[in-house]
Amino acid sequence: YNEDKHGTRNYLSAGELPLPTLFFVFGRGYCVAAVVWFTVLWRNRPVYTLHWLMFALLLLKAFSIFFHGLKYHGVAGSGEVNEGVDKMFIILKFFKASLFFITILLIGSGWAFIKPYLSPNHKKILMVVLPLQILDNIAMAVVEDMEEGAANFRTWYSVFKIVDLVCLGMVLVPIVGSIWHLREASNDSDKGRLVRAKLKLFRQFYLMVIAYVYITRIVVDLLERTLPFQLFWIGSLVYELVTVALFVTVGVKFSPEPDNPYLKVPQDDEDDEAEIRMEDGPDAETIRMKELGRDD
């Protein structure tokens, strides 16, 4: 244990001392972000279902990191992990990781933002990669609950990290498909300007996901392995800063503001004619919203 100048004992290692404060600060930040995002969604109703998934992700991230801080806070005071807090953290982390993967996959496939449906190929990717990612999250939660000195801990941890990287790499496939789809559609002069704007957005999103995966899965791991033990907390700080940057950027780019050109779904001529016919009926707006994949 470590002692401060007042003689108070702290059972965290020197490199872990700042972690409880770090996690609590970021937890409050995510709570504020969730309130702000909810206000934006409420003001711009109706919004896409995907926007509410992003709100749920913020809440799960806030609670997950808060319980992570509680876990370290308990260890700092008693030297032991509170089993209730630890189990709650593992459950929240599992749901947060799964929802994060689903959200990124749906955004990358262009669901709602380019078209109100998933193509057959994207559905196949979803059916294969999503269960694999969920199983990997469960396995990672079990492995991380083990003691680092346990037999084969490092081997299994590395294996599941590689699986996580593969799953996240598969997320890039629908993003590339969306970019290709937009590039093909940009040849249509009637929709060209709007489609080119969306093409620029998905290229940026593609780069953001690559940067996020590279930094959080590779750079952070290298930092934790190479930095002096007193600076072990730097890896967690970098991870959270990159996550915040991704959340803020995606929130701004895909915000449901009325003047956001990226959320306007271009319709084909047949769809336009169908919408004109719908306008004669009393439920025209409701039908159109459902076709665009929005909530009532």
Side-chain angles (χ1 to χ4, degrees):
Y1 60 84
N2 297 289
E3 286 189 1
D4 59 18
K5 60 182 179 181
H6 303 293
T8 303
R9 292 183 177 182
N10 191 315
Y11 289 90
L12 292 175
S13 65
E16 296 174 334
L17 289 176
L19 288 180
T21 301
L22 186 150
F23 290 141
F24 286 143
V25 169
F26 276 100
R28 293 189 184 98
Y30 284 114
C31 287
V32 172
V35 172
V36 171
W37 187 246
F38 179 82
T39 303
V40 172
L41 299 187
W42 193 260
R43 189 178 64 241
N44 293 282
R45 292 175 299 163
V47 297
Y48 292 107
T49 303
L50 190 52
H51 286 123
W52 290 112
L53 288 179
M54 294 163 73
F55 171 68
L57 178 60
L58 278 174
L59 288 180
L60 285 173
K61 177 63 178 177
F63 285 117
S64 173
I65 197 170
F66 178 74
F67 274 91
H68 202 181
L70 280 181
K71 176 181 176 180
Y72 276 98
H73 181 73
V75 174
S78 64
E80 297 180 354
V81 177
N82 184 299
E83 290 189 7
V85 172
D86 187 41
K87 298 301 181 186
M88 195 65 188
F89 166 66
I90 291 174
I91 293 171
L92 288 169
K93 183 178 179 181
F94 164 73
F95 283 109
K96 181 264 298 180
S98 300
L99 185 57
F100 173 81
F101 183 81
I102 293 171
T103 303
I104 295 297
L105 186 59
L106 291 176
I107 294 176
S109 66
W111 180 69
F113 296 122
I114 296 179
K115 51 189 181 296
Y117 58 86
L118 291 174
S119 67
N121 289 335
H122 292 162
K123 287 181 180 179
K124 291 177 182 177
I125 293 175
L126 195 66
M127 291 174 63
V128 173
V129 180
L130 183 56
L132 181 61
Q133 178 67 33
I134 291 175
L135 289 174
D136 184 67
N137 289 338
I138 295 174
M140 283 293 294
V142 173
V143 170
E144 289 180 354
D145 198 39
M146 298 167 54
E147 296 292 335
E148 290 199 21
N152 298 326
F153 170 84
R154 181 54 58 183
T155 300
W156 285 113
Y157 184 81
S158 300
V159 168
F160 293 130
K161 276 288 187 181
I162 293 173
V163 174
D164 183 53
L165 272 173
V166 172
C167 291
L168 287 171
M170 290 297 293
V171 172
L172 300 177
V173 175
I175 301 178
V176 173
S178 296
I179 292 174
W180 179 85
H181 171 80
L182 289 169
R183 185 180 293 115
E184 290 292 319
S186 64
N187 296 326
D188 189 333
S189 58
D190 295 333
K191 309 174 191 175
R193 186 175 63 178
L194 178 60
V195 172
R196 281 192 294 271
K198 292 188 177 185
L199 178 59
K200 179 181 178 182
L201 170 67
F202 277 83
R203 282 173 174 167
Q204 293 172 347
F205 184 69
Y206 175 78
L207 295 176
M208 283 189 293
V209 173
I210 289 179
Y212 175 82
V213 172
Y214 177 74
I215 295 175
T216 59
R217 267 53 178 186
I218 299 177
V219 173
V220 169
D221 189 63
L222 290 175
L223 288 174
E224 292 177 345
R225 290 171 182 266
T226 57
L227 286 175
F229 73 93
Q230 301 94 330
L231 300 177
F232 177 81
W233 59 275
I234 294 293
S236 296
L237 176 62
V238 172
Y239 183 95
E240 296 304 333
L241 288 175
V242 173
T243 304
V244 167
L246 179 68
F247 280 24
V248 171
T249 306
V250 172
V252 171
K253 294 291 186 181
F254 294 97
S255 62
E257 299 293 340
D259 58 345
N260 191 339
Y262 301 126
L263 304 187
K264 297 177 181 178
V265 181
Q267 303 289 323
D268 294 331
D269 294 337
E270 294 180 0
D271 295 333
D272 292 336
E273 293 175 4
E275 286 192 6
I276 292 173
R277 290 195 297 270
M278 289 177 194
E279 289 175 354
D280 296 332
D283 298 327
E285 188 63 22
T286 302
I287 296 173
R288 188 181 299 108
M289 286 299 186
K290 288 182 179 179
E291 285 198 347
L292 294 181
R294 295 192 177 207
D295 291 335
D296 290 333

